[in-house]
Amino acid sequence: MKVLAIETSCDDTGISILEVKKSGKNDIFKILANNTNSQVKIHREFGGVFPMMAKREHQKNLPIVLDETLKQAKIKMEKIDVIAVTYGPGLEPALWTGIVFAKELSLKYKIPIIKVNHMEGHIFSIFPKKGKTFTINSGEKIFPMLSLLVSGGHTEFILVKDWHKYKKIGQTRDDAAGEAFDKVARMLGLQYPGGPEISKMASEERKKNLIPLPLTKGEAGRGFPEIKNPSSILPLVRGGGIQIQLPRPMIHSKDYDFSFSGLKTAVLYLIRDLKEKNAKVLDNINIKQKIACEFEDAVVETLVYKTIKAIKQYKIKTLIVGGGVSANTHLQEVMKNEIKKLRKSDFLNIKTHFPIKSLTGDNALMIGIAGYYESRNKKFVKNLKSLKAQGNLSL
Ligand code: KG4
Ligand code: ZN
């Protein structure tokens, strides 16, 4: 079966073509082509995604990306068996462009459409690894599974009891984690998207903090200064300069909800107070790195703490983290580390999966995989008129 998938929920125009063969309980996927045309440079000027601009760009890009994708896959539209298209959640004007494009192709080539929930796509994004093929074994004992989806528009926990059986057990009550990264980056004068920028700054700060380990005499011989009283140097590096502490919002709440708006406001007030003392405080790169690091710690600790709690409560076998923020290396490190500890302390055998870097953000490959399974369940759109964009669609 050949699946053509279309993704236009935000600012990435994605089209992919997958060929899937079934062999017993294994589904063997071959990626014939996968393209993502990012509009990030256009939206950067506005400091965020501007929906009507995204719509215009998708309309312009879709036919071009389709041509390119068919060429790379070396097949003609007539050979496609099913079209999978994202219908929500996302920015409605952007979603509509993909839907209208899919409908036109469906009518022209008489190919059935499968509508795909973008968040289900993010769950499937962890299966492809490096290389052109990957296998999904539907008989594997991977449930109950917990999916932490963290992007610019969403922060939610999905409990997956079985294939296609989803239950949302928690979500953000205000800003999404990625949105908080973007807003704090803006306050620090960093460019959009803010996640990777904050992350770079934070890792510079952590490098500084790694230095003060007490050195032995032998090491001192290799050129390090000999430190007689290690504790005397620690405050110089760890606590040097100003002390910054941000809240870990809702970390001890009984539910699995998040709230990142207060954290963002705490950064706003912190910068305001610092500026009162020194208007040019943000010209100091060390201060910026310190704020970025403490902010990233606050987000990561909150996400990881609640994930571990949910894993214990629901006796989770598989953890999936997806969405743009899952690219965050500190989140990956802390999460994997805490899971490792949990394996030892609670004897839980949990497998953790992050998508490969190129699939952390929005892409059509994940939509193609989710679409393939929906088509196996024969969930084709019967009446094209009924297919509409659903900006607030939920799993
Ligand atoms: O999933 P995505 O590409 O788009 C949607 O929002 O659906 O996620 C984009 C978000 C942005 O807010 C961006 O700042 C964030 O993901 N992001 C990161 C990192 N890379 C992207 N956040 C933290 N650390 C990163 N390395
Ligand atoms: Zn997304």
Side-chain angles (χ1 to χ4, degrees), residues 7 9-10 12 89 118-119 122 150-154 322-324 360-363 366:
E7 155 63 39
S9 68
C10 192
D12 291 298
H118 180 81
M119 303 317 278
H122 274 301
V150 265
S151 70
H154 295 88
T360 50
D362 293 342
N363 64 86
M366 64 186 196

mmCIF file of all heavy atoms in Angstrom, residues 7 9-10 12 89 118-119 122 150-154 322-324 360-363 366, ligand 2:
data_model
loop_
_atom_site.group_PDB
_atom_site.id
_atom_site.type_symbol
_atom_site.label_atom_id
_atom_site.label_comp_id
_atom_site.label_asym_id
_atom_site.label_seq_id
_atom_site.Cartn_x
_atom_site.Cartn_y
_atom_site.Cartn_z
ATOM 1 N N GLU A 7 0.749 17.475 5.678
ATOM 2 C CA GLU A 7 0.702 18.104 7.011
ATOM 3 C C GLU A 7 0.857 19.618 6.852
ATOM 4 O O GLU A 7 1.861 20.099 6.313
ATOM 5 C CB GLU A 7 1.826 17.513 7.871
ATOM 6 C CG GLU A 7 2.326 18.379 9.017
ATOM 7 C CD GLU A 7 1.302 18.683 10.098
ATOM 8 O OE1 GLU A 7 0.510 17.785 10.442
ATOM 9 O OE2 GLU A 7 1.297 19.825 10.595
ATOM 10 N N SER A 9 -0.515 21.848 9.680
ATOM 11 C CA SER A 9 -1.243 22.348 10.850
ATOM 12 C C SER A 9 -0.669 23.643 11.421
ATOM 13 O O SER A 9 -1.347 24.364 12.135
ATOM 14 C CB SER A 9 -1.279 21.291 11.943
ATOM 15 O OG SER A 9 0.019 21.095 12.446
ATOM 16 N N CYS A 10 0.614 23.913 11.130
ATOM 17 C CA CYS A 10 1.218 25.123 11.707
ATOM 18 C C CYS A 10 2.050 25.831 10.633
ATOM 19 O O CYS A 10 1.489 26.313 9.646
ATOM 20 C CB CYS A 10 2.033 24.732 12.933
ATOM 21 S SG CYS A 10 2.549 26.131 13.928
ATOM 22 N N ASP A 12 4.831 24.392 8.978
ATOM 23 C CA ASP A 12 5.632 23.489 8.156
ATOM 24 C C ASP A 12 4.747 22.868 7.091
ATOM 25 O O ASP A 12 3.694 22.302 7.417
ATOM 26 C CB ASP A 12 6.228 22.355 9.004
ATOM 27 C CG ASP A 12 7.282 22.867 9.963
ATOM 28 O OD1 ASP A 12 8.298 23.405 9.481
ATOM 29 O OD2 ASP A 12 7.084 22.739 11.186
ATOM 30 N N PRO A 89 -5.407 18.960 15.682
ATOM 31 C CA PRO A 89 -5.561 20.368 16.021
ATOM 32 C C PRO A 89 -4.471 21.213 15.349
ATOM 33 O O PRO A 89 -3.495 20.670 14.857
ATOM 34 C CB PRO A 89 -5.368 20.369 17.541
ATOM 35 C CG PRO A 89 -4.466 19.200 17.812
ATOM 36 C CD PRO A 89 -4.766 18.177 16.760
ATOM 37 N N HIS A 118 -3.384 15.279 14.327
ATOM 38 C CA HIS A 118 -1.974 15.671 14.388
ATOM 39 C C HIS A 118 -1.266 15.093 15.636
ATOM 40 O O HIS A 118 -0.101 14.675 15.567
ATOM 41 C CB HIS A 118 -1.918 17.204 14.410
ATOM 42 C CG HIS A 118 -0.556 17.778 14.478
ATOM 43 N ND1 HIS A 118 0.248 17.918 13.378
ATOM 44 C CD2 HIS A 118 0.144 18.256 15.529
ATOM 45 C CE1 HIS A 118 1.396 18.464 13.753
ATOM 46 N NE2 HIS A 118 1.359 18.673 15.046
ATOM 47 N N MET A 119 -1.962 15.044 16.753
ATOM 48 C CA MET A 119 -1.345 14.556 17.997
ATOM 49 C C MET A 119 -1.097 13.053 17.927
ATOM 50 O O MET A 119 -0.111 12.553 18.467
ATOM 51 C CB MET A 119 -2.220 14.896 19.214
ATOM 52 C CG MET A 119 -2.515 16.375 19.389
ATOM 53 S SD MET A 119 -1.108 17.458 19.114
ATOM 54 C CE MET A 119 -0.286 17.363 20.686
ATOM 55 N N HIS A 122 2.128 12.688 16.191
ATOM 56 C CA HIS A 122 3.319 12.851 17.047
ATOM 57 C C HIS A 122 3.633 11.559 17.814
ATOM 58 O O HIS A 122 4.799 11.241 18.051
ATOM 59 C CB HIS A 122 3.138 14.014 18.018
ATOM 60 C CG HIS A 122 3.530 15.345 17.428
ATOM 61 N ND1 HIS A 122 4.793 15.599 16.953
ATOM 62 C CD2 HIS A 122 2.818 16.497 17.243
ATOM 63 C CE1 HIS A 122 4.854 16.842 16.496
ATOM 64 N NE2 HIS A 122 3.667 17.411 16.647
ATOM 65 N N VAL A 150 4.822 17.530 23.756
ATOM 66 C CA VAL A 150 5.216 18.896 24.119
ATOM 67 C C VAL A 150 5.633 19.680 22.878
ATOM 68 O O VAL A 150 6.662 19.405 22.265
ATOM 69 C CB VAL A 150 6.404 18.901 25.127
ATOM 70 C CG1 VAL A 150 5.928 19.010 26.541
ATOM 71 C CG2 VAL A 150 7.305 17.688 24.968
ATOM 72 N N SER A 151 4.797 20.656 22.517
ATOM 73 C CA SER A 151 5.120 21.439 21.311
ATOM 74 C C SER A 151 4.808 22.899 21.559
ATOM 75 O O SER A 151 4.600 23.325 22.694
ATOM 76 C CB SER A 151 4.300 20.907 20.135
ATOM 77 O OG SER A 151 2.945 21.231 20.321
ATOM 78 N N GLY A 152 4.758 23.682 20.475
ATOM 79 C CA GLY A 152 4.465 25.101 20.610
ATOM 80 C C GLY A 152 2.999 25.341 20.935
ATOM 81 O O GLY A 152 2.628 26.377 21.484
ATOM 82 N N GLY A 153 2.148 24.376 20.590
ATOM 83 C CA GLY A 153 0.707 24.557 20.807
ATOM 84 C C GLY A 153 0.155 23.648 21.899
ATOM 85 O O GLY A 153 -0.957 23.861 22.375
ATOM 86 N N HIS A 154 0.891 22.606 22.279
ATOM 87 C CA HIS A 154 0.347 21.616 23.209
ATOM 88 C C HIS A 154 1.340 21.160 24.251
ATOM 89 O O HIS A 154 2.541 21.102 23.984
ATOM 90 C CB HIS A 154 -0.124 20.374 22.440
ATOM 91 C CG HIS A 154 -1.254 20.662 21.530
ATOM 92 N ND1 HIS A 154 -1.048 21.082 20.245
ATOM 93 C CD2 HIS A 154 -2.593 20.652 21.733
ATOM 94 C CE1 HIS A 154 -2.226 21.321 19.695
ATOM 95 N NE2 HIS A 154 -3.171 21.070 20.565
ATOM 96 N N GLY A 322 7.113 13.319 22.434
ATOM 97 C CA GLY A 322 7.093 13.830 21.058
ATOM 98 C C GLY A 322 6.754 15.305 21.004
ATOM 99 O O GLY A 322 6.393 15.912 22.020
ATOM 100 N N GLY A 323 6.870 15.894 19.818
ATOM 101 C CA GLY A 323 6.593 17.322 19.633
ATOM 102 C C GLY A 323 7.893 18.109 19.645
ATOM 103 O O GLY A 323 8.940 17.604 20.093
ATOM 104 N N GLY A 324 7.830 19.352 19.168
ATOM 105 C CA GLY A 324 9.031 20.176 19.001
ATOM 106 C C GLY A 324 9.945 20.234 20.219
ATOM 107 O O GLY A 324 11.168 20.155 20.097
ATOM 108 N N THR A 360 11.141 15.484 15.426
ATOM 109 C CA THR A 360 10.604 16.038 16.676
ATOM 110 C C THR A 360 9.546 17.102 16.353
ATOM 111 O O THR A 360 8.514 17.172 16.994
ATOM 112 C CB THR A 360 11.714 16.676 17.546
ATOM 113 O OG1 THR A 360 12.470 17.569 16.733
ATOM 114 C CG2 THR A 360 12.606 15.631 18.152
ATOM 115 N N GLY A 361 9.794 17.887 15.341
ATOM 116 C CA GLY A 361 8.837 18.929 14.942
ATOM 117 C C GLY A 361 7.781 18.348 14.008
ATOM 118 O O GLY A 361 7.665 17.126 13.833
ATOM 119 N N ASP A 362 6.999 19.224 13.409
ATOM 120 C CA ASP A 362 5.908 18.770 12.550
ATOM 121 C C ASP A 362 6.445 18.212 11.237
ATOM 122 O O ASP A 362 7.349 18.784 10.631
ATOM 123 C CB ASP A 362 4.955 19.945 12.281
ATOM 124 C CG ASP A 362 4.250 20.359 13.558
ATOM 125 O OD1 ASP A 362 4.240 19.550 14.506
ATOM 126 O OD2 ASP A 362 3.721 21.481 13.610
ATOM 127 N N ASN A 363 5.865 17.103 10.808
ATOM 128 C CA ASN A 363 6.298 16.460 9.559
ATOM 129 C C ASN A 363 5.178 15.582 9.034
ATOM 130 O O ASN A 363 4.276 15.184 9.784
ATOM 131 C CB ASN A 363 7.562 15.627 9.823
ATOM 132 C CG ASN A 363 7.291 14.492 10.789
ATOM 133 O OD1 ASN A 363 6.874 13.419 10.400
ATOM 134 N ND2 ASN A 363 7.479 14.741 12.097
ATOM 135 N N MET A 366 5.034 11.241 10.053
ATOM 136 C CA MET A 366 4.244 10.732 11.180
ATOM 137 C C MET A 366 2.746 10.672 10.821
ATOM 138 O O MET A 366 2.023 9.797 11.295
ATOM 139 C CB MET A 366 4.476 11.600 12.430
ATOM 140 C CG MET A 366 3.999 13.036 12.302
ATOM 141 S SD MET A 366 4.464 14.013 13.744
ATOM 142 C CE MET A 366 3.373 15.440 13.554
HETATM 143 ZN ZN ZN B 2 3.041 19.397 16.259
#
